């Protein structure tokens, strides 16, 4: 992967379920330090942390990470990333990867892959990844986002509901997945062109996005194409709550081993 893309890591200090989340300790390093290290291990030409808080900014600078202070009024990580792209004058065609600031177990290969999927996609403004769903529990879990694609790998829809709905199989049994159907879990790692980011944040939230609480539905609502690639590696756990820290440590130990 040649160095033709940039990674921006949005890191909001005041997460509702875990205040001060970017600076929590995970095995002797902060969460944001671990995410930054994963990004640095990818083929990115540049990695920038986008934060709304001076404490995170100062910490990033102390560990040698490039960081940009963004406005506290931004509603989403995407808005933060668009602000960084605009502040730095990145060309409209440049590829920008959104690596969320609570994903310390995102394999660097996936970061390279999502950038490559966008660069290779014809007439697509955004790319993302998915991985097979192997249990009924995951399929019916609203916290697990599902995606359905067409033959060309372009997203048809994202949902918290189980899609596609296998009518005949699910009438009788929802404890097991139908053998003849495949289901995909969406991984929240995105690549966009910098010029598209500017357009995206100018659009108001769409009805589908509001209903499902999924920002990527804004893109489909406006008729734009999202390329979906099957992830090179299954990512480890993200950090939403204090309980997730133990799961991350176990994953990191296994990955090091």
């Amino acid at each position: 992967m040649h160095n033709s893309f940039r990674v921006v890591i949005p890191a909001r200090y005041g997460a509702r379920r875990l205040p001060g989340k970017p600076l929590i300790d995970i095995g002797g390093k902060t969460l944001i330090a671990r995410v930054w290290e994963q990004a640095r291990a990818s083929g990115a030409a540049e990695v920038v942390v986008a934060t709304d808080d001076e404490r995170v900014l100062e910490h990033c600078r102390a560990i040698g990470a490039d960081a940009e202070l963004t406005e506290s009024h931004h509603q989403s990580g995407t808005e933060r990333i668009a602000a960084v792209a605009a502040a730095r004058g990145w060309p409209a065609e440049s590829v920008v990867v959104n690596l969320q600031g609570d994903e310390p177990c995102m394999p660097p290969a996936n970061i390279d892959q999502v950038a490559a999927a966008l660069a290779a996609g014809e007439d697509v403004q955004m790319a993302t990844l998915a991985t097979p769903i192997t249990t009924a529990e995951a399929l019916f879990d609203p916290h697990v986002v599902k995606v359905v694609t067409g033959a060309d790998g372009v997203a048809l829809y994202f949902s918290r509901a189980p899609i596609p709905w296998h009518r005949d199989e699910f009438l009788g049994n929802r404890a097991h997945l139908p053998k003849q159907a495949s289901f995909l879990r969406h991984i929240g790692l995105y690549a966009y062109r910098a010029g598209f980011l500017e357009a995206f944040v100018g659009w108001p939230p769409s009805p589908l996005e509001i209903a499902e609480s999924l920002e990527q539905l804004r893109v489909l609502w406006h008729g734009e194409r999202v390329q979906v690639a099957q992830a090179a590696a299954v990512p480890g756990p993200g950090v939403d709550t204090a309980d997730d820290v133990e799961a991350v440590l176990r994953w990191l130990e296994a990955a090091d081993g």
Side-chain angles (χ1 to χ4, degrees):
M1 183 78 203
H2 53 90
N3 293 349
S4 59
F5 69 95
R6 299 168 168 93
V7 175
V8 182
I9 304 168
R12 195 165 64 87
Y13 188 82
R16 194 171 68 240
R17 285 191 284 182
L18 197 56
K21 183 157 82 166
L23 300 182
I24 64 167
D25 179 81
I26 299 181
K29 293 178 182 175
T30 59
L31 172 59
I32 194 62
R34 289 196 176 277
V35 178
W36 174 70
E37 285 174 1
Q38 295 301 94
R40 292 254 301 175
S42 76
E46 201 173 343
V47 178
V48 185
V49 176
T51 185
D52 61 347
D53 193 277
E54 291 278 359
R55 288 164 287 192
V56 179
L57 186 76
E58 284 173 18
H59 171 69
C60 287
R61 290 182 174 160
I63 63 171
D66 188 3
E68 185 98 27
L69 194 64
T70 55
E71 302 287 341
S72 56
H73 64 73
H74 290 313
Q75 293 297 305
S76 67
T78 314
E79 288 185 16
R80 248 175 254 298
I81 293 166
V84 170
R88 300 202 168 197
W90 290 342
E93 277 305 298
S94 57
V95 173
V96 182
V97 172
N98 171 355
L99 173 60
Q100 295 176 28
D102 55 7
E103 294 284 353
C105 305
M106 183 62 70
N110 288 4
I111 300 170
D112 292 336
Q113 184 188 15
V114 78
L118 178 65
E122 287 196 21
D123 193 29
V124 295
Q125 296 291 348
M126 184 166 152
T128 191
L129 301 181
T131 191
I133 289 174
T134 56
T135 67
E137 183 186 17
L139 183 68
F140 287 91
D141 183 347
H143 299 295
V144 174
V145 178
K146 277 66 70 170
V147 59
V148 172
T149 70
D152 54 3
V154 172
L156 298 173
Y157 194 63
F158 297 87
S159 184
R160 297 184 181 280
I163 56 171
W165 182 260
H166 201 294
R167 188 193 65 171
D168 294 340
E169 290 272 357
F170 288 148
L171 272 175
N173 182 3
R174 297 186 192 177
H176 303 285
L177 291 184
K179 289 187 172 56
Q180 63 274 50
S182 60
F183 302 91
L184 288 174
R185 175 182 192 143
H186 175 234
I187 295 170
L189 179 70
Y190 301 100
Y192 335 76
R193 299 190 195 283
F196 173 72
L197 273 171
E198 190 180 349
F200 178 90
V201 297
W203 295 331
S206 70
L208 293 177
E209 168 189 0
I210 292 165
E212 297 251 19
S213 191
L214 295 174
E215 197 183 31
Q216 63 271 34
L217 290 173
R218 193 184 315 181
V219 181
L220 300 186
W221 178 264
H222 284 277
E224 296 290 353
R225 291 153 63 86
V226 179
Q227 188 72 44
V228 182
Q230 190 142 317
V234 178
V239 179
D240 284 321
T241 67
D243 293 341
D244 296 330
V245 172
E246 284 304 314
V248 168
L249 284 170
R250 284 196 299 275
W251 189 90
L252 291 167
E253 275 172 27
D256 288 344

